[in-house]
């Protein structure tokens, strides 16, 4: 595909890296020439210096015959106008834009084809808020992903000493829990992936990705680790868009406090939120944390725009007795450094957003993509079409499908029914298949599995 990416920031740069590795024709546009030179040196891509909404710049970038425009600059207005220009002047087939401001997102009809013609809207704040909300709903999980409208969940947990499954092979899980159907999609041991088999033995500190129907998730988690009691008391550091949205979602079921440094913003938050306690001050102020009884906090969420503040406030809260700390980190290089020590969960907003973008770039009928392990792996939801002549998966048992190396099928959703992917399950047309791909180089092979042959037409 010929794809133009507007914006060479964290999201644009990471997306270019993902897509360039998959043999797409990528052009990145930005006003920062130095940043573009750094990307061009590292990746096999074209770059154009200039404002992404200018017609002359879009023409220079090749918009006349581009398949897709992805506008992820830091300015909503530039992203919106660029999509308008690409539609009006160049008839670009697919236009994706990142729009942050709720003032735009809450207006019905604004992004219709006859108004501002954006095919796919990405709201990073909403994506990250949903990600954090799922983690709070599943205490002990490192990552929680939803598929098929929430019927299926893929959950990552760290196996701890003393867990019933530690030291046992995976076949034991099925024998031990005959009434709960689940499948381990992948295991990461000392940061190296292991393709699970029935005789694979789970060790302490393994990061285990398992898939199950939503109703069975907690039962499976209890086998792999101590089940943490539900989070009730939540402290949020940072009252920006993400902090506000998270508080708004949690305040009716949790005790929520927000610590915000800006006085004017505190006033706005206190007017918009109903039951959340809004505190004016710094999350790195030890006295403030003491006064607010941080040792009674179930989870401390550091969600400011400053990585250093998030890391330092999280470490301080943890040392002062907070049960769990979750930290938002924009610099992807920091994520692996801090997670697993005093910081329990580190979240990269770029990686959360990338999955939403990749969903619309994949070939075949791909309806959901989640980037895992900081982009090292992917979980994909694909729909099977065709018949036994035109499709490589329809009419075949899972054990007979020629899957690319490092790929596993975790579950099938057929209507409202969830089928865990055992070898004898036969795929039907219209099934949603949830796949785990540990080798990103195999993505193209996975896509080809779900592209229907000409005989279908």
């Amino acid at each position: 595909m010929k794809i133009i990416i507007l914006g060479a920031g964290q999201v644009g740069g990471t997306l270019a890296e993902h897509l360039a590795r998959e043999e797409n024709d990528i052009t990145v546009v930005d006003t920062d020439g130095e940043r573009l030179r750094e990307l061009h040196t590292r990746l096999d891509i074209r770059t154009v210096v200039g404002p992404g909404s200018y017609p002359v710049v879009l023409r220079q970038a090749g918009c006349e015959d581009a398949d897709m425009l992805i506008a992820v600059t830091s300015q909503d207005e530039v992203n919106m106008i660029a999509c308008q220009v690409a539609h009006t002047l160049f008839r670009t087939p697919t236009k994706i834009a990142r729009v942050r401001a709720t003032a735009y997102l809450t207006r019905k009809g604004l992004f219709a084809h006859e108004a501002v013609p954006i095919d796919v809207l990405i709201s990073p704040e909403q994506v990250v808020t949903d990600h954090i909300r799922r983690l709070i709903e599943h205490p002990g999980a490192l990552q929680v992903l939803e598929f098929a409208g929430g019927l299926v969940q893929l959950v990552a947990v760290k196996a701890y000493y003393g867990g019933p499954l530690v030291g046992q092979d995976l076949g034991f899980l099925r024998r031990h829990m005959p009434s709960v159907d689940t499948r381990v999609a992948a295991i990461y041991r000392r940061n190296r992936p292991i393709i699970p088999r029935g005789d694979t033995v789970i060790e302490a500190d393994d990061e285990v990705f398992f898939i199950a129907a939503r109703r069975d998730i907690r039962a499976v988690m209890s086998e792999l680790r101590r089940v943490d009691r539900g989070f009730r008391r939540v402290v949020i550091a940072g009252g920006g868009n993400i902090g506000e949205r998270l508080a708004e979602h949690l305040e009716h079921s949790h005790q929520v406090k927000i610590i915000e440094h800006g006085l004017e913003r505190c006033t706005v938050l206190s007017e918009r939120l109903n039951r959340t306690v809004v505190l004016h001050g710094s999350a790195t102020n030890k006295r403030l944390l003491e006064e607010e009884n941080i040792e009674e906090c179930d989870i401390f969420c550091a969600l400011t725009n400053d990585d250093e503040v998030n890391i330092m406030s999280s470490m301080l809260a943890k040392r002062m007795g907070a049960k769990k700390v979750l930290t938002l980190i924009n610099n992807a290089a920091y994520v692996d450094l801090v997670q697993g020590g005093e910081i329990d969960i580190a979240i990269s907003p770029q990686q959360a957003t990338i999955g939403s973008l990749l969903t619309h770039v994949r070939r075949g009928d791909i309806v959901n993509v989640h980037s895992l392990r900081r982009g090292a792996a992917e979980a994909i939801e694909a729909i099977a079409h065709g018949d036994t002549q035109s499709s490589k998966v329809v009419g075949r048992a899972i054990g007979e499908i020629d899957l690319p190396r490092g790929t596993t099928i975790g579950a099938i959703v057929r209507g409202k029914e969830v089928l865990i992917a055992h070898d004898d399950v036969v795929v039907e047309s219209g099934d949603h298949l949830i796949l785990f791909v540990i080798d990103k180089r195999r993505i193209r092979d996975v896509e080809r599995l779900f592209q229907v042959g000409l005989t279908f037409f």
Side-chain angles (χ1 to χ4, degrees):
M1 294 178 75
K2 185 171 183 179
I3 301 170
I4 298 172
I5 299 172
L6 307 183
Q10 291 277 5
V11 171
T14 307
L15 183 63
E17 192 170 347
H18 276 266
L19 298 178
R21 284 203 302 255
E22 297 167 16
E23 299 173 4
N24 293 288
D25 180 358
I26 305 297
T27 302
V28 179
V29 179
D30 200 282
T31 53
D32 186 343
E34 189 174 334
R35 170 67 175 152
L36 289 176
R37 278 191 293 276
E38 185 268 321
L39 279 175
H40 181 70
T41 303
R42 192 160 48 88
L43 307 172
D44 181 21
I45 61 172
R46 287 182 65 234
T47 60
V48 175
V49 181
S53 58
Y54 284 15
V56 65
V57 174
L58 288 175
R59 179 174 276 109
Q60 191 180 347
C63 207
E64 289 167 314
D65 60 347
D67 299 300
M68 183 179 292
L69 176 79
I70 303 176
V72 287
T73 75
S74 58
Q75 294 177 282
D76 290 351
E77 292 76 14
V78 171
N79 297 338
M80 291 158 60
I81 294 298
C83 289
Q84 181 74 68
V85 172
H87 171 76
T88 305
L89 297 184
F90 305 113
R91 295 291 179 223
T92 306
T94 304
K95 299 162 292 295
I96 300 174
R98 175 170 69 175
V99 178
R100 284 194 168 106
T102 51
Y104 293 128
L105 297 170
T106 52
R107 291 292 176 183
K108 282 190 176 180
L110 178 60
F111 298 106
H113 193 70
E114 65 279 1
V116 182
I118 297 174
D119 301 297
V120 181
L121 272 173
I122 300 291
S123 170
E125 283 83 0
Q126 192 58 53
V127 170
V128 173
T129 302
D130 291 343
H131 184 63
I132 296 169
R133 173 183 55 78
R134 289 193 294 268
L135 290 170
I136 290 175
E137 289 172 356
H138 295 84
L142 295 173
Q143 197 163 10
V144 182
L145 309 174
E146 290 188 342
F147 298 93
L151 290 173
V152 176
Q153 290 185 325
L154 178 71
V155 179
V157 296
K158 183 172 274 192
Y160 280 85
Y161 287 103
L165 260 188
V166 173
Q168 304 282 356
D169 60 46
L170 292 178
F172 175 80
L173 176 62
R174 199 169 179 182
R175 299 190 299 272
H176 186 61
M177 304 178 69
S179 61
V180 175
D181 210 1
T182 186
R183 177 160 183 159
V184 174
I187 296 172
Y188 281 84
R189 182 172 297 159
R190 291 179 284 279
N191 288 321
R192 295 177 66 87
I194 297 172
I195 297 295
R197 298 191 300 268
D199 58 355
T200 302
V201 175
I202 292 179
E203 297 180 4
D205 292 330
D206 280 356
E207 194 173 322
V208 182
F209 286 83
F210 69 89
I211 196 164
R214 186 189 189 106
R215 63 180 180 273
D216 295 328
I217 289 295
R218 285 193 68 80
V220 182
M221 283 180 68
S222 67
E223 296 300 305
L224 292 165
R225 52 167 294 120
R226 300 182 300 273
V227 176
D228 297 330
R229 64 186 178 86
F231 296 141
R232 295 293 302 161
R233 299 179 182 87
V234 181
V235 175
I236 300 171
N241 289 334
I242 296 174
E244 180 186 355
R245 290 184 189 193
L246 185 63
E248 191 175 19
H249 182 87
L250 297 175
E251 64 179 358
H252 297 289
S253 54
H254 298 72
Q255 296 175 23
V256 182
K257 295 178 180 179
I258 285 186
I259 301 172
E260 166 58 37
H261 188 261
L263 185 57
E264 285 185 25
R265 182 62 179 165
C266 284
T267 305
V268 171
L269 290 170
S270 62
E271 291 170 353
R272 290 181 180 173
L273 299 169
N274 297 318
R275 302 175 65 178
T276 299
V277 176
V278 180
L279 304 166
H280 177 233
S282 170
T284 56
N285 186 325
K286 186 176 181 181
R287 179 177 291 180
L288 176 60
L289 296 182
E290 281 176 348
E291 289 173 355
E292 297 306 322
N293 302 313
I294 196 68
E295 72 280 358
E296 295 177 4
C297 164
D298 293 316
I299 184 163
F300 178 90
C301 303
L303 308 177
T304 77
N305 291 325
D306 189 313
D307 285 355
E308 284 72 21
V309 169
N310 288 344
I311 293 169
M312 295 309 295
S313 63
S314 295
M315 294 174 70
L316 181 61
K318 185 74 169 184
R319 290 185 182 183
M320 292 178 68
K323 312 291 185 302
K324 279 278 171 69
V325 295
L326 179 151
T327 310
L328 194 68
I329 299 179
N330 285 289
N331 188 333
Y334 289 177
V335 175
D336 288 324
L337 287 175
V338 300
Q339 180 165 293
E342 292 190 345
I343 291 173
D344 299 292
I345 303 171
I347 293 176
S348 164
Q350 290 80 27
Q351 289 300 337
T353 306
I354 290 298
S356 302
L357 292 166
L358 290 176
T359 301
H360 306 286
V361 178
R362 296 278 173 250
R363 296 182 178 88
D365 197 350
I366 307 293
V367 294
N368 223 329
V369 175
H370 290 286
S371 186
L372 307 169
R373 299 280 308 175
R374 268 69 74 192
E378 274 187 20
I380 296 173
E381 177 182 347
I383 304 177
H385 294 290
D387 53 28
T388 51
Q389 277 75 45
S390 61
S391 170
K392 296 174 184 173
V393 295
V394 173
R396 292 170 173 77
I398 285 173
E400 299 170 352
I401 297 173
D402 185 19
L403 289 171
R405 186 179 173 190
T407 301
T408 56
I409 298 174
I412 292 175
V413 179
R414 186 171 295 160
K416 296 290 183 182
E417 185 184 8
V418 178
L419 306 171
I420 297 304
H422 303 300
D423 284 352
D424 57 348
V425 176
V426 176
V427 178
E428 297 180 5
S429 183
D431 282 354
H432 288 235
L433 279 71
I434 318 301
L435 301 100
F436 195 102
V437 186
I438 65 169
D439 186 350
K440 289 288 294 292
R441 291 171 298 182
R442 305 289 180 179
I443 290 292
R444 281 284 170 263
D445 297 330
V446 174
E447 290 174 348
R448 289 188 193 101
L449 278 178
F450 293 91
Q451 290 177 322
V452 179
L454 291 174
T455 54
F456 182 55
F457 301 100

